[in-house]
Amino acid sequence: KDQVFQPSTVASSEGAVVEIFCNHSVSNAYNFFWYLHFPGCAPRLLVKGSKPSQQGRYNMTYERFSSSLLILQVREADAAVYYCACSGNTPLVFGKGTRLSVIA
Amino acid sequence: DSGVTQTPKHLITATGQRVTLRCSPRSGDLSVYWYQQSLDQGLQFLIHYYNGEERAKGNILERFSAQQFPDLHSELNLSSLELGDSALYFCASSVVGQGSTDTQYFGPGTRLTVL
């Protein structure tokens, strides 16, 4: 069954680097997508790809069946839900989301 | 702003009623997806349309239906509403609808409250 797995919660201190891990069992999936979701707002794409990449404070690591999102210099405003998704021959399969809490 | 629009923003209705949620995709996007997000739950995929045709169904109840019109906007119809249908409903669009690099862009969502 095509599934994406990620932890339900992660906590970090302000100023630290936090890592959110994701792995999948999606057939023929080569690309990962990381979305940021603040409550009441539209989920927003942060970074995607089939190789390690960086967009500002967001780094994405890449392995064939797993990826991590690293958020550098975590801020209180980063507290949100982060979704990992990947696709192969079908549209994106999303994980259940990881809620990041930031400790001041 | 993703370019995906959804109306209405908020909807309050009673149990047993029927509502219609509307979504306009980004210009040029042929695929529309509907997701449900209930309290403290992740994004639950409901249904995918591509260029007017249903492509995939997720955990969509029989009381729910959707369609995509020739101008590519989509409507999600929810009937015989129950308290548990209260949720945030997101629409997303993408260019094609398959392929490993096809990104989905989300609208701001419609918050449905069933009393």
Side-chain angles (χ1 to χ4, degrees):
Chain A
K1 185 180 175 184
D2 290 344
Q3 286 185 288
V4 174
F5 308 95
Q6 56 183 125
S8 58
T9 60
V10 162
S12 174
S13 300
E14 262 192 311
V17 176
V18 67
E19 179 177 7
I20 302 174
F21 179 78
C22 167
N23 66 318
H24 75 86
S25 61
V26 179
S27 301
N28 298 316
Y30 289 90
N31 281 273
F32 283 90
F33 299 71
W34 285 95
Y35 283 83
L36 163 64
H37 187 205
F38 289 107
C41 297
R44 176 170 67 93
L45 180 70
L46 287 174
V47 64
K48 70 172 186 178
S50 58
K51 59 183 180 181
S53 62
Q54 180 174 2
Q55 290 287 335
R57 293 188 298 117
Y58 305 103
N59 279 355
M60 187 187 94
T61 69
Y62 180 84
E63 302 274 346
R64 174 65 178 85
F65 292 100
S66 67
S67 170
S68 284
L69 176 70
L70 289 97
I71 307 174
L72 311 180
Q73 297 176 310
V74 169
R75 307 164 184 165
E76 219 172 318
D78 293 327
V81 177
Y82 293 82
Y83 287 98
C84 174
C86 55
S87 74
N89 299 323
T90 58
L92 290 178
V93 177
F94 281 86
K96 293 183 187 289
T98 299
R99 184 175 299 276
L100 170 64
S101 57
V102 180
I103 306 159
Chain B
D1 183 2
S2 67
V4 179
T5 60
Q6 289 186 247
T7 55
K9 199 173 174 71
H10 301 277
L11 199 47
I12 301 174
T13 187
T15 54
Q17 295 299 305
R18 171 190 169 96
V19 297
T20 297
L21 313 183
R22 183 189 167 103
C23 168
S24 292
R26 293 186 324 153
S27 176
D29 284 0
L30 299 177
S31 271
V32 169
Y33 311 80
W34 286 97
Y35 293 86
Q36 179 192 58
Q37 186 191 22
S38 301
L39 193 61
D40 290 335
Q41 299 291 314
L43 291 169
Q44 300 291 318
F45 169 66
L46 295 177
I47 199 163
H48 167 215
Y49 275 83
Y50 172 76
N51 205 20
E53 292 187 6
E54 182 186 302
R55 275 292 175 89
K57 263 185 176 178
N59 299 320
I60 188 166
L61 300 171
E62 282 192 18
R63 301 182 284 108
F64 295 2
S65 65
Q67 52 184 329
Q68 186 180 27
F69 295 86
D71 67 351
L72 301 176
H73 90 272
S74 176
E75 292 180 357
L76 179 67
N77 301 296
L78 314 176
S79 61
S80 302
L81 285 168
E82 302 175 0
L83 295 177
D85 297 328
S86 295
L88 200 51
Y89 291 85
F90 286 106
C91 166
S93 75
S94 70
V95 175
V96 177
Q98 64 180 37
S100 58
T101 58
D102 197 38
T103 299
Q104 291 184 23
Y105 295 90
F106 283 80
T110 292
R111 181 169 295 282
L112 173 66
T113 303
V114 182
L115 302 175

